[in-house]
Amino acid sequence: MDLSLSTRTEGDRTVIAVGGEIDVYTAPKLREHLIDLVSGGSYHLIVDIEGVDFLDSTGLGVLVGGLKRVRHHEGSLQLVCTQDRILKIFRITGLTKVFPIYATVDEALAAND
Amino acid sequence: MPTVDVRFTALPAHVRTARLVALAVARRAGVAEEVLDEIRLAVGEACSRAVGVHVKHAPNEPVTMRLSDDNNCFTVEVIDAGTLEGDEQDAAFDPLDAAALAAADANESVPASFGLAVIGGLVEEVAISSENGATQVRMAWPASPA
């Protein structure tokens, strides 16, 4: 399964819905997309990975890279995910302390972080 | 003796193939269904790391993945043609410092040891050995063939 990306704007936030597998092969596509968004002035990102079937450390690296880029502009990067098998890698790596993770896009939109 | 021996060109696209083959063999070996996600991730991490090593040091050499299911044990060995990188030797199984990671330079998203640290946090039985210019990541899970 390849990676799918769909982006929309909700107020001052940009919601990126990601589907498929984020691994060493597909992660560069997500990286480029995040770089393009930040270059275009989108600094408050919600990355919805609820539709992601597989995420490895390369994918985490891309998300960490995205977080660093938006923070450079005093922005934010929130994640949306409820799948335990995906959340597990965030727990193993301690990244649950780095990313605010929400159950739905609406919850992420309602939060201020 | 390996049940399945896979050799693949060091290209990121083949890592997914390696994951799928490992999962198929794990299922056949009788590994519990709830462990399959762990195997999928661990094999992906080991193979991604090996591909990265080959791209840097031996682009023409194939990566080897050996899958065995002897003695109620499913074993995956991923063998590359490189030695452990500096920070991998220092920190192969150390817990990740998430704060330091997030504060590091934006251009270098994660350190080279990140994949091994994920494997270390994920898999109970894992051994990493490096000799004669090759590194082997060996991971094992219990299996009970039908």
Side-chain angles (χ1 to χ4, degrees):
Chain A
M1 194 191 292
D2 209 346
L3 182 78
S4 68
L5 296 169
S6 125
T7 303
R8 66 181 194 273
T9 305
E10 296 268 0
D12 66 339
R13 320 272 182 99
T14 303
V15 182
I16 306 115
V18 189
E21 299 186 338
I22 312 178
D23 72 353
V24 66
Y25 178 57
T26 61
K29 186 175 165 187
L30 177 61
R31 180 186 291 120
E32 290 309 313
H33 189 63
L34 293 178
I35 289 173
D36 286 349
L37 286 172
V38 176
S39 303
S42 302
Y43 304 140
H44 294 281
L45 308 179
I46 298 173
V47 183
D48 179 359
I49 53 172
E50 189 62 12
V52 168
D53 178 53
F54 180 83
L55 173 73
D56 71 3
S57 66
T58 320
L60 287 182
V62 168
L63 294 173
V64 170
L67 179 68
K68 289 175 190 168
R69 283 189 178 85
V70 293
R71 278 189 179 165
H72 190 67
H73 298 278
E74 292 173 1
S76 61
L77 193 156
Q78 301 161 293
L79 295 176
V80 173
C81 184
T82 61
Q83 292 189 68
D84 198 54
R85 64 175 174 183
I86 301 290
L87 293 173
K88 190 173 182 182
I89 189 170
F90 284 92
R91 284 197 293 270
I92 289 171
T93 54
L95 288 173
T96 44
K97 293 179 207 132
V98 175
F99 290 104
I101 303 175
Y102 298 93
T104 63
V105 171
D106 283 344
E107 277 184 30
L109 285 168
N112 276 313
D113 46 26
Chain B
M1 192 169 153
T3 304
V4 176
D5 209 342
V6 180
R7 297 172 84 220
F8 59 94
T9 309
L11 292 173
H14 295 328
V15 172
R16 180 169 186 266
T17 308
R19 287 199 305 265
L20 292 172
V21 172
L23 268 195
V25 178
R27 271 201 184 94
R28 193 188 158 279
V31 172
E33 196 68 26
E34 60 268 23
V35 186
L36 293 177
D37 272 333
E38 179 182 310
I39 293 176
R40 187 183 180 201
L41 182 53
V43 167
E45 294 293 352
C47 290
S48 299
R49 185 194 157 277
V51 165
V53 168
H54 278 230
V55 166
K56 238 190 221 175
H57 303 293
N60 298 320
E61 292 279 320
V63 172
T64 301
M65 177 176 73
R66 287 191 178 135
L67 310 166
S68 319
D69 64 346
D70 298 328
N71 303 320
N72 294 335
C73 182
F74 172 66
T75 308
V76 180
E77 293 166 295
V78 178
I79 302 142
D80 67 55
T83 49
L84 289 172
E85 307 255 316
D87 69 333
E88 290 184 319
Q89 269 166 343
D90 295 340
F93 293 115
D94 283 354
L96 292 168
D97 184 345
L101 191 66
D105 183 358
N107 294 323
E108 199 187 330
S109 297
V110 292
S113 60
F114 202 62
L116 288 184
V118 169
I119 293 172
L122 199 63
V123 186
E124 249 173 62
E125 200 180 330
V126 52
I128 299 172
S129 55
S130 194
E131 57 182 348
N132 302 327
T135 297
Q136 182 193 71
V137 177
R138 185 180 182 281
M139 305 170 284
W141 291 269
S144 46

